């Protein structure tokens, strides 16, 4: 089973700043099957990025994904107030796994 | 418009079997390239991928839970059912079902609202 490790656990930033979130896999992941989700309290997750770098429908272009192999990154170019949330990466090979999440909080 | 909704018991006793139903609309699970998955989230903790069933009845399970899980579909009713045997208090969580398709490379693009299941005697 592929283990995904996200870092940092918590990111304290101010609105307007750039956020860089990391997701590292225990073995190589096909870029086609790496996704990022945003989750706010009391809500279901929302798909942001699929295929490592493709934005899902309706996702603003301040969100971008990159990476390959075992190292993937989600970047939020300029944080808006509504972006403070928990972010999860997910891989899907023969079965799926999620990372443990990164909380982006207001500094 | 795609929607999904989970239903099932809110409380189960230890050792019992949990049966959850995902009822969906806006797509057909007989359409090539479509899947429905289950994900859970214990209170205050991370998401956990459980199982996924495809349009062609291919099924995938979390290796750590495979012995306890069964996922099935009823295309005529637009439903996917997940059963989990031998429930334990650590299985207390919100259980989500979600739509998946080859268009999004099988990421979960549309989620249900989730249903909270508590395991307690």
């Amino acid at each position: 089973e592929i283990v995904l490790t996200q870092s940092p656990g918590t990111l304290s930033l101010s609105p307007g700043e750039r956020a860089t979130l990391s997701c590292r896999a225990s073995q190589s992941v096909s870029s086609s099957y790496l996704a990022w989700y945003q989750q706010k309290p009391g809500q279901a997750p929302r798909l942001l990025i699929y295929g490592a770098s493709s934005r899902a429908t309706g996702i603003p272009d301040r969100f971008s994904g990159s990476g390959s192999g075992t190292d993937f990154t989600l970047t939020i170019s300029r944080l808006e107030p509504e972006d403070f949330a928990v972010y999860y990466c997910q891989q899907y090979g023969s079965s799926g796994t999620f990372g443990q999440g990164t909380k982006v909080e207001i500094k | 418009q795609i929607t999904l909704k989970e239903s099932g018991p809110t409380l189960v006793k230890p050792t019992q079997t949990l049966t959850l139903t995902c009822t969906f609309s806006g797509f057909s699970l007989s359409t090539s390239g479509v899947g429905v998955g289950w994900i859970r989230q214990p209170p205050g903790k991370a998401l956990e991928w459980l199982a996924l069933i495809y349009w062609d009845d291919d099924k995938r399970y979390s290796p750590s839970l495979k012995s306890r899980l069964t996922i099935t579909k009823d295309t005529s009713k637009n439903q996917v059912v997940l059963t989990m045997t031998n429930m334990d208090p650590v299985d207390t969580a919100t259980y989500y079902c979600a739509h998946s398709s080859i268009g999004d490379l099988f990421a979960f693009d549309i989620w249900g609202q989730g249903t909270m299941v508590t395991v307690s005697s």
Side-chain angles (χ1 to χ4, degrees):
Chain A
E1 179 173 295
I2 297 176
V3 176
L4 299 179
T5 301
Q6 294 186 238
S7 61
T10 302
L11 200 50
S12 298
L13 295 168
S14 300
E17 290 194 293
R18 181 184 187 90
T20 303
L21 288 66
S22 174
C23 176
R24 179 162 290 177
S26 59
Q27 54 188 282
S28 186
V29 172
S30 167
S31 297
S32 297
Y33 300 122
L34 194 289
W36 289 91
Y37 300 84
Q38 176 194 68
Q39 188 179 33
K40 297 180 180 179
Q43 296 183 16
R46 176 174 71 145
L47 177 66
L48 298 175
I49 300 288
Y50 65 93
S53 60
S54 297
R55 274 187 298 276
T57 302
I59 301 303
D61 61 7
R62 64 179 181 273
F63 291 93
S64 63
S66 63
S68 64
T70 60
D71 290 297
F72 298 88
T73 301
L74 174 70
T75 301
I76 310 171
S77 59
R78 291 175 310 279
L79 283 165
E80 297 288 340
E82 61 268 27
D83 299 336
F84 291 92
V86 180
Y87 293 83
Y88 294 95
C89 58
Q90 180 226 338
Q91 68 81 26
Y92 179 68
S94 56
S95 69
T97 50
F98 286 91
Q100 83 278 19
T102 290
K103 182 179 182 180
V104 179
E105 66 175 22
I106 299 176
K107 186 174 182 180
Chain B
Q1 179 192 7
I2 291 174
T3 64
L4 306 98
K5 187 172 184 179
E6 308 86 353
S7 60
T10 57
L11 180 65
V12 298
K13 295 184 184 331
T15 75
Q16 287 187 334
T17 294
L18 172 68
T19 299
L20 294 173
T21 300
C22 176
T23 303
F24 56 84
S25 63
F27 67 97
S28 172
L29 202 38
S30 61
T31 299
S32 180
V34 174
V36 172
W38 285 93
I39 306 97
R40 72 178 179 180
Q41 185 171 38
K45 296 189 177 181
L47 301 168
E48 182 178 16
W49 194 98
L50 298 178
L52 178 66
I53 189 165
Y54 290 104
W55 79 98
D56 60 358
D57 211 39
D58 186 15
K59 301 166 186 177
R60 306 297 172 94
Y61 295 100
S62 165
S64 61
L65 292 168
K66 186 175 183 177
S67 63
R68 300 174 54 205
L69 294 174
T70 303
I71 189 169
T72 60
K73 63 181 174 70
D74 186 330
T75 305
S76 65
K77 292 183 178 179
N78 281 352
Q79 291 181 334
V80 171
V81 174
L82 181 76
T83 60
M84 180 180 291
T85 61
N86 194 25
M87 293 292 284
D88 183 273
V90 300
D91 297 313
T92 293
T94 296
Y95 287 76
Y96 296 98
C97 64
H99 171 269
S100 176
S101 77
I102 196 168
D104 294 313
L105 298 174
F106 295 110
F108 294 122
D109 59 343
I110 307 293
W111 294 60
Q113 65 189 22
T115 186
M116 179 67 192
V117 177
T118 300
V119 183
S120 175
S121 55

